[in-house]
Amino acid sequence: YCSSSEAAKILEAEFSNSKAIPCNFLEERDLQALIGKIDNMDLHVLINNALHGLTQAHFHKLPPHSFIDSFSHNVQPTLIITQKAISIFRKKKFGKIITILTSALLKPPTGMSEYVANKAYMASMSKSWAIENARFNIASNCISPSVMKTDLTKDIYEKIFDELERIHPLNKLLTPEEVASEVSALVHSCQFINGTNRIMNSAEDVI
């Protein structure tokens, strides 16, 4: 695992046309600074794939403020950024929005109600973006990956990963690289691919 800043430096070193922009979604100043920079970008594609944090607890044990906090930290910044991107895409008469969701939408795991609810909200928004902006040649699609070994899941016991691999028909877990290949496919797809959600199945989804 590596931090976001470390990963950004690696990408900048590998791809000379890439530019890392730090943005803490919890800081209004950072978010507005990013919005201001978008105006100067020749933006064609927006990929929504950010998560501030993950709370694992049964629904009845969550404090009421956690729902508002989670929405403001994980959903609202994405909405603000996407609004800005759409305003640019409409002027260009072209744009692609790709939003990363989760296959847990099909069967929410125990203790993940807050996380899955946020993703369900984004799934609905993505569909609305597709419908409202189709005549401006803007496509909005989603990808819903199953569980992977990432920073998000680093606190999960290794034996749980082993069991998930054992029961999966492919005897392996999905990788970030495989999800990235689906993102690339949507980036290069025609604008007739619009309003879809590509499910990248977990073992339970397959069975």
Side-chain angles (χ1 to χ4, degrees), residues 72-202:
S72 63
H73 295 165
N74 295 308
V75 176
Q76 190 170 346
T78 304
L79 300 180
I80 294 171
I81 292 169
T82 305
Q83 271 190 325
K84 184 63 176 180
I86 288 175
S87 69
I88 292 173
F89 293 160
R90 282 188 164 219
K91 293 175 183 176
K92 286 176 174 286
K93 296 294 192 293
F94 180 86
K96 290 178 181 288
I97 304 167
I98 302 169
T99 303
I100 308 301
L101 303 176
T102 173
S103 67
L105 286 167
L106 301 179
K107 184 179 179 181
T110 300
M112 302 282 282
S113 61
E114 181 184 293
Y115 168 74
V116 176
N118 283 341
K119 292 296 187 180
Y121 188 97
M122 292 308 306
S124 178
M125 274 293 181
S126 179
K127 183 73 72 172
S128 293
W129 300 334
I131 293 171
E132 292 181 1
N133 297 287
R135 66 189 181 93
F136 290 92
N137 199 29
I138 299 171
S140 175
N141 294 286
C142 299
I143 297 174
S144 290
S146 58
V147 65
M148 297 178 284
K149 290 184 178 180
T150 65
D151 283 342
L152 183 64
T153 58
K154 64 184 177 182
D155 293 329
I156 294 179
Y157 293 122
E158 194 66 30
K159 65 173 66 174
I160 295 178
F161 283 125
D162 292 341
E163 177 62 14
L164 289 172
E165 289 180 342
R166 186 189 69 78
I167 64 176
H168 197 286
L170 298 177
N171 297 124
K172 66 185 288 289
L173 292 179
L174 183 67
T175 67
E177 290 76 16
E178 288 168 326
V179 177
S181 71
E182 287 302 301
V183 172
S184 178
L186 283 176
V187 168
H188 294 95
S189 67
C190 72
Q191 298 301 87
F192 283 88
I193 306 299
N194 192 20
T196 69
N197 182 14
R198 297 190 177 191
I199 307 292
M200 303 187 76
N201 292 334
S202 67

